[in-house]
C-alpha cells in the first residue's frame, strides 16, 4: 500500500511513499560481465531495484563479483536474488552472495517438499536474519505449493457451499504468502523486512488477489502480472491490472513482466512501468511528449518521426539530466501535426511545435510557456526544435537554480484525440 513502504521507499532510499520500479535480468548470472552490463542498462533506464536469477553454484559464485562490478561503475542499484529449489544450499555455501544481495526472493511453492520444506525455508530466513536482508515472499500461481493446494481442495469439498476452483486458487495464493510471512516472523525476521507478492497471469484474478491481500495484511506489496506476454498485449494487460490496484492505493514496488521480442531491449519493461506511474500522476521519471494521433491532414510521416525523435532523445538525456536538472522529469513537450489542435496543445505544454499539415504553409510555429517565440521552416526543423528544448532545460532546471513548476505532471504520451 502506498504510504507504508518498508522495502520499497525506506530500504532503498527513494522518496517515502513512492512506488518503486523494479525489473529483472534475463542474462545467465554465471556470466558476470553480461549481467553487469544488463543491470547497468536497466538502472540507467531508471530501474530502482533489479532482480537476478540465482539458480546454480556457478551463478551464486558470481553475485559478489557482479555487485563489485556495478559499484565500480557507480551503480548502486539494490540486487534481489531470485531463489528456487536450492536457495537454502546456495545461501549457505556462498556467503559472499548472501551478503552482496539486498533482498532474497523466496517462492514458498519451490522451497522443498514434505518434511524438508520447513527446514529449507527456515535456512533461507536464517540467512536473511544473519545478513540483515529483506525477503520477498513471492508466491506465483504457476508454482503454488501443491501440498497446500491439495489440502485446501479436500477441505473445500467438505464445505456446504464450496469455493469455485478460481476462488480457491486465489485463496491458496494468499494463504501461502501470509502463512510463509508469519513463519518467517516466528523464526525471528523483522516484519519490516518482509514484502509480499502473489502473481497470476490473469488481470481480473490479479486485481481480486491483491485487493484481498491489501485488506488482510500490512506488509508492503510487490505488484506485477506474471507472464504478461509480448508486445502490446503484455503492455495493455499489465497496465490494466496495475492501474486499478495503484489507483486503490495498493502496491509498493511494481514490475512489468514483458517478454521482449528477439531484437528488443530488456529495458522496455522499465519504460512501461515508469509510464504507468507517470501517466497516472503517481511519479514522474522523464519528460514525455504529447503528440496527436495524426489523420488525413498529415499525409507525411514527418511529425511522427519528430515526435519519436524528441521522445527518444529526451529519454536518452535522463541518466545525466536526472542529477543535473532536478525537476526536468515533469517537462511537457508537444509535437502536433497541424493547425487544428497544434497551436492550442502547444501553448498548454512547456514547449510545443505545431507542424504544417497537408496544404498548409510549410512553417512550424514554436510555443514556449504559452507564447509563440519563433517559426521554424526549411530542412532543419527537427534539429532546431531539439536545440530549443535543450536550451529550455539548461536555463530552467539548472541545479540550485529556480525550479520551474511544470504545467502538468501527468502527461499522456499520445494524449490528443479529436
Ligand atoms: S492536430 Fe488533429 S487534425 Fe491536426 S493532424 Fe493532428 S489529429 Fe489531425
Amino acid at each position: 500500500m502506498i504510504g507504508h513502504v518498508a522495502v520499497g521507499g525506506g530500504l532503498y532510499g527513494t522518496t517515502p511513499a513512492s512506488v518503486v520500479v523494479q525489473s529483472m535480468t534475463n542474462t545467465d548470472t554465471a556470466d558476470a560481465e553480461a549481467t553487469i552490463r544488463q543491470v547497468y542498462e536497466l538502472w540507467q533506464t531508471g530501474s530502482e531495484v533489479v532482480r537476478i536469477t540465482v539458480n546454480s553454484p556457478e551463478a551464486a559464485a558470481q553475485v559478489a563479483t557482479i555487485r563489485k562490478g556495478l559499484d565500480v561503475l557507480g551503480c548502486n542499484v539494490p540486487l534481489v536474488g531470485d531463489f528456487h529449489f536450492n536457495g537454502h544450499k546456495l545461501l549457505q555455501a556462498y556467503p559472499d552472495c548472501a551478503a552482496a544481495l539486498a533482498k532474497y526472493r523466496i517462492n514458498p511453492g519451490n522451497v522443498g517438499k514434505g518434511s524438508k520444506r520447513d527446514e529449507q525455508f527456515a535456512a533461507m530466513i536464517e540467512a536473511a536474519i544473519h545478513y540483515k536482508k529483506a525477503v520477498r515472499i513471492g508466491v506465483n500461481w504457476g508454482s503454488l505449493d501443491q501440498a497446500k493446494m491439495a489440502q485446501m481442495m479436500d477441505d473445500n469439498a467438505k464445505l456446504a457451499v464450496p469455493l469455485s476452483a478460481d476462488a480457491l486458487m486465489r485463496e491458496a495464493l494468499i494463504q501461502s504468502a501470509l502463512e510463509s510471512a508469519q513463519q518467517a516472523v516466528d523464526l525471528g525476521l523483522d516484519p519490516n523486512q518482509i514484502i509480499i507478492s502473489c502473481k497470476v497471469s490473469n488481470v481480473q484474478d490479479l486485481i481480486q488477489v491483491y485487493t484481498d491481500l491489501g485488506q488482510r495484511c500490512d506488509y508492503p506489496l510487490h505488484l506485477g502480472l506474471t507472464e504478461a506476454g509480448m508486445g502490446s498485449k503484455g503492455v495493455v494487460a499489465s497496465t490494466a491490472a496495475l492501474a486499478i490496484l495503484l489507483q486503490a492505493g495498493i502496491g509498493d514496488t511494481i514490475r512489468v513482466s514483458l517478454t521482449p521480442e528477439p531484437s528488443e531491449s530488456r529495458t522496455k519493461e522499465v519504460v512501461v512501468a515508469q509510464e504507468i506511474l507517470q501517466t497516472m500522476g503517481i511519479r514522474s521519471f522523464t519528460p514525455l511528449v504529447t503528440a496527436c494521433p495524426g489523420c488525413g491532414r498529415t499525409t507525411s510521416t514527418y511529425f511522427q518521426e519528430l515526435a519519436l525523435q524528441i521522445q527518444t532523445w529526451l529519454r536518452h538525456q535522463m541518466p545525466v539530466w536526472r542529477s543535473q536538472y532536478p525537476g526536468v522529469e515533469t517537462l511537457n513537450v508537444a509535437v502536433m501535426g497541424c493547425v487544428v489542435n497544434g497551436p492550442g496543445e502547444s501553448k498548454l505544454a512547456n514547449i510545443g511545435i505545431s507542424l504544417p499539415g497537408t496544404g498548409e504553409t510549410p512553417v512550424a510555429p514554436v510555443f514556449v510557456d504559452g507564447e509563440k517565440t519563433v517559426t521554424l521552416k526549411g530542412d532543419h526543423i527537427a534539429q532546431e526544435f531539439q536545440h530549443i528544448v535543450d536550451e529550455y532545460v539548461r536555463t530552467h532546471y539548472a541545479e540550485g537554480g529556480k525550479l520551474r513548476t511544470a504545467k502538468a505532471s501527468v502527461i499522456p504520451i499520445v494524449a490528443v484525440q479529436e
Side-chain angles (χ1 to χ4, degrees):
M1 282 138 278
I2 299 165
H4 71 262
V5 186
V7 179
L11 196 65
Y12 298 131
T14 54
T15 312
S18 64
V19 180
V20 171
V21 171
Q22 217 184 109
S23 61
M24 185 173 184
T25 55
N26 62 356
T27 52
D28 179 358
T29 307
D31 183 344
E33 203 182 310
T35 304
I36 291 169
R37 203 179 308 123
Q38 193 175 71
V39 171
Y40 187 80
E41 217 186 334
L42 291 163
W43 174 71
Q44 282 281 72
T45 309
S47 184
E48 294 158 307
V49 180
V50 178
R51 183 158 50 116
I52 60 175
T53 301
V54 188
N55 59 337
S56 64
E58 293 76 17
Q62 293 303 318
V63 171
T65 305
I66 292 166
R67 178 69 276 165
K68 280 189 200 127
L70 291 166
D71 290 341
V72 166
L73 294 170
C75 169
N76 60 358
V77 70
L79 295 176
V80 182
D82 196 54
F83 293 99
H84 300 269
F85 313 114
N86 56 0
H88 58 292
K89 286 187 188 161
L90 297 176
L91 285 170
Q92 198 173 31
Y94 295 90
D96 287 355
C97 163
L101 294 167
K103 178 162 61 172
Y104 309 154
R105 183 272 171 111
I106 304 176
N107 179 341
N110 286 344
V111 170
K113 287 191 169 51
S115 57
K116 292 201 167 149
R117 192 260 172 212
D118 286 354
E119 194 186 305
Q120 292 173 181
F121 180 79
M124 297 184 77
I125 298 300
E126 277 155 19
I129 295 168
H130 178 76
Y131 292 101
K132 298 186 172 51
K133 303 299 179 182
V135 166
R136 168 151 74 92
I137 304 288
V139 182
N140 190 304
W141 81 317
S143 49
L144 192 52
D145 183 337
Q146 290 308 305
K148 174 157 194 62
M149 192 66 206
Q151 180 63 52
M152 286 182 71
M153 283 167 77
D154 285 350
D155 295 345
N156 190 52
K158 292 175 197 151
L159 296 176
V161 185
L163 293 174
S164 68
D166 283 352
L168 191 67
M169 183 274 292
R170 293 194 294 269
E171 181 60 23
L173 282 166
I174 293 170
Q175 283 192 23
S176 176
L178 295 182
E179 285 169 10
S180 298
Q182 187 56 50
Q183 208 179 344
V185 172
D186 293 343
L187 287 162
L189 186 67
D190 182 342
N192 289 320
Q193 293 292 91
I194 296 175
I195 183 164
I196 283 181
S197 66
C198 282
K199 293 194 180 179
V200 298
S201 59
N202 175 283
V203 171
Q204 294 295 351
D205 282 330
L206 194 87
I207 293 165
Q208 288 195 43
V209 165
Y210 274 89
T211 304
D212 203 355
L213 199 52
Q215 288 165 355
R216 286 165 65 173
C217 74
D218 285 328
Y219 293 112
L221 301 179
H222 171 68
L223 291 189
L225 192 70
T226 191
E227 293 112 28
M230 266 184 156
S232 61
K233 185 264 171 187
V235 174
V236 171
S238 292
T239 306
L242 266 53
I244 287 170
L245 291 165
L246 291 166
Q247 187 68 17
I250 297 169
D252 298 281
T253 67
I254 64 169
R255 179 184 175 217
V256 175
S257 302
L258 296 179
T259 309
E261 285 166 26
S263 59
E264 203 168 42
S265 166
R266 187 69 169 178
T267 56
K268 187 172 179 189
E269 67 173 63
V270 178
V271 174
V272 173
Q274 290 181 331
E275 287 176 350
I276 291 172
L277 295 174
Q278 186 152 353
T279 53
M280 290 187 71
I282 294 171
R283 289 183 66 186
S284 292
F285 297 91
T286 193
L288 294 180
V289 175
T290 301
C292 75
C295 67
R297 290 174 177 269
T298 50
T299 47
S300 90
T301 56
Y302 187 75
F303 102 96
Q304 292 160 267
E305 287 157 13
L306 180 58
L308 180 63
Q309 183 183 320
I310 290 288
Q311 179 71 78
T312 307
W313 173 73
L314 287 168
R315 186 165 277 285
H316 282 157
Q317 304 313 305
M318 281 314 285
V320 174
W321 280 6
R322 202 172 284 134
S323 54
Q324 224 167 15
Y325 303 115
V328 70
E329 63 276 6
T330 61
L331 177 75
N332 182 6
V333 178
V335 177
M336 299 295 292
C338 86
V339 75
V340 172
N341 284 331
E345 193 67 38
S346 297
K347 281 181 195 167
L348 290 169
N350 298 123
I351 309 171
I353 185 166
S354 179
L355 292 165
T358 309
E360 293 177 33
T361 314
V363 296
V366 173
F367 299 81
V368 176
D369 292 334
E371 301 295 331
K372 188 165 121 182
T373 55
V374 66
T375 299
L376 303 179
K377 55 186 164 191
D379 297 332
H380 304 290
I381 289 179
Q383 295 90 318
E384 287 168 21
F385 183 62
Q386 189 170 304
H387 179 72
I388 292 168
V389 176
D390 194 36
E391 202 52 38
Y392 185 93
V393 170
R394 289 178 198 289
T395 52
H396 288 70
Y397 298 95
E399 196 170 11
K402 189 167 167 273
L403 189 64
R404 187 187 181 284
T405 306
K407 294 193 169 186
S409 59
V410 183
I411 306 154
I413 300 163
V414 178
V416 183
Q417 299 290 338
E418 291 307 303

